[in-house]
Amino acid sequence: MLQHPVSATGITRLHRLWLYAIASAVIFFLIAPTLLVIPMSFSSSRFLEFPPPSWSLRWYHAYFESVEWRDATVVSFEAAIGTMIVSTIVGTMAAYGINYSRFGAKRFVQIALALPMMIPVILTAVGVFIFFAPLGLNNSLTGLILAHSTLAIPLVLISVTAGLKSFNANQEMVARSLGASRIRAFMTVTLPQIRYSVISAALLAFITSLDEVVISLLIAGGDKATLTRRMFLALRDEIDPTIAAISSMLILLSIILMASSQLIRPNRT
Amino acid sequence: MRTLSDSAVGERPAAAASLPVTVCKLTKRYGAFTALKDVDLAIRSGEFLTLLGPSGSGKTTLLMVLAGFVRPDAGSVAFGEREVVLLPPHKRDIGMVFQNYALFPHMSVAGNLAYPLKLRGHGKQDIADRVAQALALVQLEGYGERSVDQLSGGQRQRVALARAVIFEPRILLMDEPLSALDKNLRERMQLEIRRLHDRLGLTTVYVTHDQREALTMSDRIAVMNHGQILQVDRPRDLYDRPSTRFIAEFIGETHCIPIEIQNGEASLFGRALRLATPLATTASAQALVLRPERLQLLSADKPTHDLNTIDGTVRQHVFQGDSVVTFVSLPDGHDIAVRHPYGNDSEHLQPGTAVRVGIAPRDTIVVPAENATATASGRA
Amino acid sequence: MSTAAANDLSIASRGERHSLNADALKRSERGEQVRLLALTLPALLLVGIVALAPIGWLSGLSFVGPNGLTLVNYQRLIHPSYELTLITTFQLAFLVTALCLILGYPLAYLASQMSSRGASLVLLCVLFPFWTSLLVRTYAWLVILQRRGLVNTWLRDLGVIDEPLRLVHNFTGTAIGMTHIMLPFMVLPLYAAMKNISPDYMRAASNLGASPIRAFWNVFVPLSRPGIFAGLIIVFVLSLGFYVTPALLGGGRVMMWSMQIERSIAVYSDWGAASALGVVLLVITMGILWLVSRLASIGSFMERA
């Protein structure tokens, strides 16, 4: 599998075996624990032993029969879709502006928009909580979407900027010379060509919101509790096997999203 | 008075709508770098004008100003009588061909051609007719449904060209459109583009750094360097009467050697020169422009009446296929090249042989000896 | 020719116009740049108002007591329990960062030397955790490391241990879980840096007589430094502010700085303490990032010189 001949990379056979062994172990460490949750979720036992004493669907039943879990799931998806829409639109606009503007001020804009990625989430969460309290946005879907969007925008910005950088800017100039206004040229020529980056960005924004725990913990109470908030609170007290069932379904969703983000990419290499 | 033959010549009338372009006192700076400096240029209606210059000379910036993608710091650009310098690109009605074609990969060939027509709200049938016509114009009938990746470099170039003219623009701009093609294809496309121009009669501004391409295709050439236009002339005039040393050396194969001036008379190694054009009275240091194909190799003792001559010794012969270049060393150590057809006897002259190089007076061109920048700033 | 003459005339008449154009052109250029930058405004407003401004306000809050401006919130931080939290936080961050480098380097190295197919397979494995919920992955470790969990069951079956080990709800479990979560943040920058190292360097080193191991240490590792640097910073900064995984796998016994913040609000409703704790965390994080950006620019400057 090594691309370069052994002599070229300077690795002997023994080294290579070691390297493969270590790398395989690390990959196992990365993947296996997560996947292990799936068989566990079909256990009949309350104690999550492995291997399970016998198989059953009782934890899936427990999930689907619980109104609380179902409501939380609905809230989570609503928030994720809202965040995806808001941050993809707003983030793509910003990426375009930053990419083509020649103002010196754009450096500051770039830094400001990257900050939510660097500031510890707990701080953002506390800040948002204080800010939302007088506005009555705590425990509301709008509040959740706004707060999650601040986390998703930096990711959208990175993904779309990468798309714009690899896009040949002459294309948009040609469109404009052929009679398209800037907006029209963007919609008909640029956007179709950077669509992979934009779709990836949207998927990333979706999953960012869906998986977000800390902000939800502070601002998503009452009937607007998200799935992750409920899971976190449940886990703090006990290892409820229902969560194994939910986790398994989330893993499946992650795989689907990740696969689609990989599949939409044209085969370049 | 229209005759039958007139209407048979082209499918379209030689574009009466084509416009002259007038550029006036155009200036553009990027920080400390001056890309354009007080550029004036008048392009005639229907003319094929080439902006020629080395990279960084400002030729592409000037083209981008014409297209509206670069705003100058000052100056005016008029298409016909209309001032356009403040108009955005999409309102200028220009066709443009870029260096790497810039065809839209997410559209078919026909989709690319239909794009400007759709923007202008043409009907479906009209678009289909025009696309078919345009494909025929560039000899790509039947390629409409192909995707852009399936085309060869030359075909892509033709599609880009067809797309730039399909909406009947008033002016066509081309930015080194052939630079990505190999030599043979490039030469074929040069003729094809020129033929298309003659057929449509569009005012065309063409940017290139390739002097041969410029000489082949243009009605007139504007030579640029350091953000200024040094000379605008027909290819022949530019070749025969370069106004500066920079132009002389940039166009064609050229050796410049300094000459002496005394009392308004030019001489070289003590021998008086008869010049093509009289020396300007203010002329100071001048250089003689020697082009290998305009020189003759003579035996040292041959009498010459009608030629200017320089004495030297044969240094080396270089075989180049269709011709042989002989390098001759001059008394002051300069080497000059003389080109003669393959099979000429001169080839048998041994290195070290004393020879005489002859130049007809009408080919004896002198230019100011200092380099182009100094001349240019003197002009401005 | 007559048109040319006409054009030459019109050049003269237009000469007057160009000075007027200069102002209009400047305005039009400025207008376009402003419009382009205005595209960033919605994002800027959203992030600025919802995230950044409240944090700024929170920081201000830390200096305000019941009787006006005060440093009392910070004075209270000088206390053994906060000291312990600070030490734990840095210990964990250092340990996790080191573990990530040790585990991530061989993996990134292998991926960088593989054919593009093999490399994309490895990268897929590295990206998978990125797309999986943090909470799910933490939960998985909870299940594996618990008293009756997989690790304890196997070790007992193998006769290695009699009594189950305490692997979770303590420092060990937190470190394992955090390393697992942070590993991709280390591998990706490492891989990006290694991909840029031409195999020619290693060939040259071999030709000059270096043994493979020597060539690796003397040539490859130094060249991969930018990736190491980036990976270390990302992992360390993220670890410092980490909340979810320590809160679950630490079981209340491992107190991270970010958990102190949450606790002072949720348990004590002490906004003064929370904001002061927040400012400290913010200052440390931003300080590290600032220092690194300075070092990086100095480094690249020295390389160029």
Side-chain angles (χ1 to χ4, degrees), chain A residues 168 170-171, chain B residues 97-103 156-157 160 163 175-181:
Chain A
N168 176 3
N170 274 357
Q171 294 264 343
Chain B
V97 180
F98 282 79
Q99 217 163 55
N100 293 309
Y101 327 130
L103 295 179
R156 282 176 203 207
Q157 189 52 63
R163 184 179 61 179
D175 183 14
E176 310 222 11
L178 303 179
S179 59
L181 303 179

Side-chain angles (χ1 to χ4, degrees), chain B residues 198-219:
Chain B
D198 293 345
R199 194 146 155 201
L200 302 180
L202 268 175
T203 310
T204 300
V205 183
Y206 188 99
V207 163
T208 184
H209 63 269
D210 179 345
Q211 44 102 5
R212 190 171 282 273
E213 190 166 289
L215 293 173
T216 308
M217 301 176 76
S218 323
D219 291 327

Side-chain angles (χ1 to χ4, degrees), chain B residues 20-25 28 40-45 71-78 80-83 85-86, chain C residues 1 3-5 7-8 10-12 14-19 21-26 28-30 32-33 35:
Chain B
V21 176
T22 316
V23 168
C24 186
K25 294 225 179 289
K28 176 71 186 173
D40 290 333
L41 180 64
I43 304 166
R44 295 163 197 156
S45 176
R71 264 187 210 84
D73 296 331
S76 105
V77 175
E81 278 307 302
R82 187 165 174 227
E83 174 65 55
V85 78
L86 287 167
Chain C
M1 276 302 145
T3 36
N7 280 345
D8 290 343
S10 62
I11 279 190
R14 281 198 182 89
E16 308 307 313
R17 226 190 270 173
H18 87 280
S19 54
N21 280 352
D23 289 337
L25 281 164
K26 198 180 274 173
S28 141
E29 176 73 25
R30 240 192 124 66
E32 181 174 348
Q33 294 303 322
R35 277 196 301 280

Side-chain angles (χ1 to χ4, degrees), chain A residues 3 10 29 50 102 182 254, chain C residues 29 32-33 113 131 180 212:
Chain A
Q3 190 178 16
F29 174 72
F50 192 88
R102 284 192 299 274
R182 198 152 194 160
S254 307
Chain C
E29 176 73 25
E32 181 174 348
Q33 294 303 322
Q113 302 298 310
W131 288 90
H180 170 90

Side-chain angles (χ1 to χ4, degrees), chain B residues 59-332:
Chain B
K59 58 190 191 302
T60 299
T61 308
L62 178 52
L63 193 80
M64 288 296 159
V65 170
L66 293 182
F69 293 116
V70 170
R71 264 187 210 84
D73 296 331
S76 105
V77 175
F79 293 171
E81 278 307 302
R82 187 165 174 227
E83 174 65 55
V84 296
V85 78
L86 287 167
L87 276 188
H90 66 278
K91 291 189 180 149
R92 292 197 181 190
D93 237 5
I94 41 158
M96 188 147 183
V97 180
F98 282 79
Q99 217 163 55
N100 293 309
Y101 327 130
L103 295 179
F104 304 136
H106 59 296
M107 298 179 190
S108 66
V109 169
N112 268 279
L113 294 179
Y115 185 79
L117 300 176
K118 277 186 189 151
L119 290 172
R120 287 170 175 75
H122 287 253
K124 235 184 175 140
Q125 190 53 47
D126 185 31
I127 289 179
D129 293 346
R130 282 168 185 257
V131 167
Q133 251 176 41
L135 284 171
L137 188 70
V138 293
Q139 292 126 53
L140 284 174
E141 292 98 335
Y143 280 70
E145 292 320 305
R146 297 234 184 156
S147 104
V148 170
D149 329 321
Q150 289 170 292
L151 301 182
S152 69
Q155 289 169 337
R156 282 176 203 207
Q157 189 52 63
R158 290 203 212 116
V159 176
L161 207 56
R163 184 179 61 179
V165 299
I166 194 170
F167 58 98
E168 297 174 24
R170 311 295 203 83
I171 291 147
L172 181 60
L173 306 177
M174 293 194 240
D175 183 14
E176 310 222 11
L178 303 179
S179 59
L181 303 179
D182 65 48
K183 187 168 173 289
N184 285 334
L185 191 53
R186 195 160 66 225
E187 283 169 4
R188 234 184 34 234
M189 287 303 298
Q190 286 169 5
L191 296 179
E192 238 175 85
I193 290 177
R194 179 65 219 207
R195 236 176 269 142
L196 189 77
H197 167 265
D198 293 345
R199 194 146 155 201
L200 302 180
L202 268 175
T203 310
T204 300
V205 183
Y206 188 99
V207 163
T208 184
H209 63 269
D210 179 345
Q211 44 102 5
R212 190 171 282 273
E213 190 166 289
L215 293 173
T216 308
M217 301 176 76
S218 323
D219 291 327
R220 284 194 307 162
I221 299 172
V223 182
M224 292 189 75
N225 198 26
H226 297 298
Q228 293 180 307
I229 292 181
L230 304 179
Q231 187 175 357
V232 188
D233 247 321
R234 293 183 309 167
R236 273 164 215 276
D237 295 336
L238 207 59
Y239 191 84
D240 289 340
R241 305 279 174 266
S243 67
T244 70
R245 181 167 179 177
F246 172 81
I247 296 171
E249 287 180 331
F250 194 73
I251 292 172
E253 203 179 326
T254 308
H255 290 92
C256 286
I257 54 174
I259 57 172
E260 300 105 49
I261 310 251
Q262 254 173 355
N263 309 327
E265 292 292 320
S267 61
L268 183 62
F269 303 131
R271 215 172 278 165
L273 292 171
R274 276 164 288 167
L275 304 182
T277 48
L279 211 53
T281 46
T282 56
S284 51
Q286 301 280 310
L288 179 60
V289 177
L290 298 174
R291 295 218 151 100
E293 71 281 3
R294 297 292 173 91
L295 302 180
Q296 302 171 29
L297 211 52
L298 312 164
S299 55
D301 49 359
K302 188 177 176 188
T304 51
H305 319 289
D306 47 351
L307 295 179
N308 292 312
T309 55
I310 316 167
D311 290 333
T313 51
V314 172
R315 183 143 179 254
Q316 188 186 8
H317 301 286
V318 176
F319 175 64
Q320 293 190 333
D322 54 346
S323 61
V324 174
V325 173
T326 302
F327 287 92
V328 176
S329 293
L330 302 187
D332 66 345

Side-chain angles (χ1 to χ4, degrees), chain A:
Chain A
M1 280 246 268
L2 283 174
Q3 190 178 16
H4 313 293
V6 174
S7 59
T9 45
I11 303 173
T12 63
R13 217 182 140 75
L14 188 68
H15 293 142
R16 204 152 53 125
L17 277 176
W18 268 108
L19 189 59
Y20 272 115
I22 295 171
S24 310
V26 175
I27 287 182
F28 183 80
F29 174 72
L30 273 174
I31 304 280
T34 315
L35 293 182
L36 194 80
V37 174
I38 296 172
M40 297 292 229
S41 68
F42 294 102
S43 169
S44 60
S45 157
R46 267 184 52 76
F47 299 106
L48 290 173
E49 298 141 282
F50 192 88
S54 62
W55 306 99
S56 87
L57 285 174
R58 66 186 275 208
W59 307 116
Y60 287 88
H61 284 296
Y63 166 75
F64 283 106
E65 277 155 22
S66 156
V67 179
E68 285 177 353
W69 280 122
R70 268 208 326 255
D71 286 351
T73 310
V74 171
V75 172
S76 270
F77 273 86
E78 282 171 351
I81 291 170
T83 303
M84 178 174 79
I85 294 170
V86 171
S87 61
T88 306
I89 293 174
V90 165
T92 303
M93 282 167 64
Y96 186 90
I98 288 173
N99 199 47
Y100 287 108
S101 172
R102 284 192 299 274
F103 257 144
K106 79 177 187 181
R107 282 286 308 149
F108 296 103
V109 175
Q110 261 174 315
I111 292 173
L113 291 181
L115 274 178
M117 225 171 15
M118 300 188 257
I119 295 173
V121 190
I122 184 77
L123 285 178
T124 311
V126 174
V128 166
F129 179 80
I130 298 177
F131 176 60
F132 280 178
L135 302 174
L137 282 171
N138 281 326
N139 309 339
S140 78
L141 194 62
T142 315
L144 209 52
I145 290 174
L146 288 177
H148 282 174
S149 292
T150 67
L151 296 185
I153 284 170
L155 301 173
V156 173
L157 204 59
I158 290 173
S159 179
V160 176
T161 302
L164 284 173
K165 287 257 183 285
S166 62
F167 167 72
N168 176 3
N170 274 357
Q171 294 264 343
E172 201 174 290
M173 280 161 79
V174 161
R176 288 165 67 199
S177 80
L178 292 174
S181 63
R182 198 152 194 160
I183 292 175
R184 190 108 187 239
F186 176 80
M187 297 306 276
T188 54
V189 171
T190 309
L191 194 57
Q193 290 188 60
I194 61 164
R195 63 185 181 278
Y196 304 117
S197 312
V198 176
I199 295 171
S200 290
L203 292 176
L204 267 177
F206 181 87
I207 202 89
T208 299
S209 167
L210 194 70
D211 290 349
E212 204 288 321
V213 182
V214 182
I215 290 178
S216 306
L217 217 50
L218 270 114
I219 70 159
D223 63 340
K224 290 300 173 203
T226 63
L227 195 58
T228 45
R229 177 192 158 95
R230 275 201 192 287
M231 284 168 75
F232 183 88
L233 294 177
L235 282 178
R236 226 168 22 185
D237 308 328
E238 42 152 0
I239 305 180
D240 179 353
T242 312
I243 293 173
I246 300 170
S247 293
S248 301
M249 290 185 278
L250 283 178
I251 292 170
L252 190 68
L253 181 70
S254 307
I255 292 174
I256 292 170
L257 289 183
M258 178 174 149
S260 33
S261 96
Q262 296 291 325
L263 286 179
I264 54 160
R265 230 155 255 288
N267 291 322
R268 245 182 237 137
T269 45

